[in-house]
Amino acid sequence: MPLAIYALMIGAFGIGTTEFVIMGLLQEISRDLGVSISSAGMLISGYALGVAIGAPVLSILAIRSSKKRMLILLMGIFTIGNLICALATDYSLLMIARVVTSFAHGTFFGIGSVVATNVVRKDQKALAIALMFTGLTVANIAGVPFGTWLGQHFGWRSTFWAVTAIGPLAMLALSLFIPTDNGQTEVNLKAELEAIRQPKVISGLAITVVGFAAVFAIFTYISPILTTLTKLPESWISPLLLLFGLGLIFGNIFGGKLADRNLNLALVGSLVALTVVSGAYSLFSDNYLAMFVLVFLLGFAGFATVPPLQMNVLESASQAPVLASALNIAAFNVGNALGAWGGGIVIDHGPGLVALGAGAALISAVAVVISLVTMRKAVDSRMVLKR
């Protein structure tokens, strides 16, 4: 693979670490800042909503810009945002810092997906996207467990100091290995917006939102699930997040390879797997051996969906790849926010932690139905055209 893919992986590693490490530090942040677990969980929703807002706005502004220049600028925003997180002294400032950091997220992965597919052969496009996202999955196998351990032993702010240091390294790699380009000289914004208004693109974004809402309804609260329901000590959280990260890596690569062979099969199959795994959380949350397996499988099934979901939208909006790709990253994070928010409601006003798995299974089942309906409509449209 070209060195550009590995430069993108470094940036993805930093972004993945700062996005996911907070899940393992909810209890530390809650105690230190004097807020509830569900309020600490809203820091995840705030980040996700920042991605959802920032991705399309920055992507429109970036259409005429050099992709290389924009990627370096976005990692600069990432660095500043994490620095503010490390310096935050109260909940409000931390929330603001999380939102600032999130502005880099969607557009980085949006532009990065386009760059990744442009530097490889046609039959490697989904795999190239998967490899870029491997930086995010490696964050979960290395960055997040280490960041969680660091935060538990030296305070959660130390984690953000460590993450801040990744930014300059990523900027250097991007400047050295990403091909130089001059951006688009002519941009028809109306045509770009028209391309993403197609029904297949909109349904693809909806599948992404719903599918990842299911993942984050569970993953946001994985720490209290394991300590409260499974009765595991807090010291086990970091090793189990490592196990989750292994699932992400294998699931992400598997999803990318399968999507290059059969996109529809990869999309539906990964969502069905996610439905089954999610439901199992409500059935086996008191069995620590089963939970070890399910933590791995949640990572595998959840991130096996990423390459097919991203390719699904890219292929549906080929005339507006950067904007469509960034919007799909925004859709991932809208799903993250809705999942964290919905999970908080279930905990505070519903059946509690034990019901999160069943609720997530219902949500991912909806994503399966939307996928099947969209595919059926596409087949019907082709048959009409043949006539």
Side-chain angles (χ1 to χ4, degrees), residues 171-190:
M171 293 169 73
L172 177 62
L174 292 167
S175 66
L176 290 175
F177 302 125
I178 297 296
T180 301
D181 66 290
N182 297 318
Q184 292 179 233
T185 55
E186 295 183 8
V187 177
N188 187 334
L189 185 56
K190 183 179 179 181

Side-chain angles (χ1 to χ4, degrees), residues 78-229:
F78 162 90
T79 304
I80 293 169
N82 280 290
L83 179 61
I84 299 172
C85 285
L87 296 170
T89 55
D90 58 44
Y91 179 82
S92 297
L93 183 56
L94 181 58
M95 177 65 83
I96 292 169
R98 290 286 290 170
V99 172
V100 170
T101 307
S102 73
F103 287 158
H105 186 125
T107 310
F108 181 90
F109 281 109
I111 295 175
S113 293
V114 175
V115 171
T117 56
N118 285 343
V119 297
V120 297
R121 301 193 313 264
K122 186 177 180 180
D123 62 342
Q124 294 181 321
K125 289 182 181 294
L127 180 58
I129 290 174
L131 288 174
M132 180 187 70
F133 276 94
T134 296
L136 189 149
T137 58
V138 170
N140 281 276
I141 197 173
V144 171
F146 175 73
T148 300
W149 176 86
L150 194 66
Q152 288 174 343
H153 288 80
F154 301 100
W156 59 268
R157 291 179 183 83
S158 65
T159 300
F160 287 102
W161 280 112
V163 174
T164 300
I166 300 171
L169 177 62
M171 293 169 73
L172 177 62
L174 292 167
S175 66
L176 290 175
F177 302 125
I178 297 296
T180 301
D181 66 290
N182 297 318
Q184 292 179 233
T185 55
E186 295 183 8
V187 177
N188 187 334
L189 185 56
K190 183 179 179 181
E192 293 262 339
L193 294 174
E194 191 65 33
I196 64 171
R197 287 174 56 192
Q198 298 176 66
K200 189 176 180 182
V201 177
I202 293 172
S203 64
L205 295 173
I207 295 166
T208 300
V209 170
V210 178
F212 255 61
V215 175
F216 272 73
I218 297 174
F219 185 51
T220 300
Y221 303 100
I222 194 67
S223 178
I225 287 172
L226 293 172
T227 56
T228 304
L229 300 182

Side-chain angles (χ1 to χ4, degrees), residues 161-364:
W161 280 112
V163 174
T164 300
I166 300 171
L169 177 62
M171 293 169 73
L172 177 62
L174 292 167
S175 66
L176 290 175
F177 302 125
I178 297 296
T180 301
D181 66 290
N182 297 318
Q184 292 179 233
T185 55
E186 295 183 8
V187 177
N188 187 334
L189 185 56
K190 183 179 179 181
E192 293 262 339
L193 294 174
E194 191 65 33
I196 64 171
R197 287 174 56 192
Q198 298 176 66
K200 189 176 180 182
V201 177
I202 293 172
S203 64
L205 295 173
I207 295 166
T208 300
V209 170
V210 178
F212 255 61
V215 175
F216 272 73
I218 297 174
F219 185 51
T220 300
Y221 303 100
I222 194 67
S223 178
I225 287 172
L226 293 172
T227 56
T228 304
L229 300 182
T230 317
K231 308 296 184 184
L232 292 172
E234 286 188 16
S235 59
W236 283 60
I237 301 303
S238 183
L240 282 169
L241 289 176
L242 182 65
L243 193 60
F244 179 84
L246 280 172
L248 297 188
I249 290 178
F250 288 112
N252 185 48
I253 298 298
F254 176 80
K257 289 185 175 181
L258 184 58
D260 275 326
R261 295 179 182 177
N262 189 320
L263 180 57
N264 287 342
L265 176 62
L267 186 60
V268 174
S270 59
L271 289 170
V272 169
L274 178 60
T275 302
V276 174
V277 171
S278 298
Y281 268 77
S282 286
L283 297 175
F284 300 105
S285 58
D286 60 346
N287 185 319
Y288 72 92
L289 289 177
M291 289 300 287
F292 288 172
V293 176
L294 288 174
V295 167
F296 173 84
L297 289 179
L298 181 64
F300 186 95
F303 271 70
T305 66
V306 172
L309 285 170
Q310 190 74 347
M311 278 302 299
N312 182 45
V313 171
L314 273 174
E315 288 193 356
S316 301
S318 56
Q319 293 180 339
V322 172
L323 184 55
S325 182
L327 281 172
N328 200 46
I329 300 300
F332 278 117
N333 283 272
V334 170
N336 297 357
L338 290 176
W341 172 73
I345 290 177
V346 171
I347 294 169
D348 291 340
H349 306 290
L353 285 168
V354 72
L356 290 179
L362 288 173
I363 295 169
S364 55

Side-chain angles (χ1 to χ4, degrees), residues 334-385:
V334 170
N336 297 357
L338 290 176
W341 172 73
I345 290 177
V346 171
I347 294 169
D348 291 340
H349 306 290
L353 285 168
V354 72
L356 290 179
L362 288 173
I363 295 169
S364 55
V366 172
V368 174
V369 172
I370 298 173
S371 301
L372 292 173
V373 170
T374 303
M375 291 172 193
R376 179 59 184 271
K377 286 183 177 179
V379 171
D380 291 344
S381 296
R382 285 195 294 267
M383 290 178 66
V384 169
L385 290 173

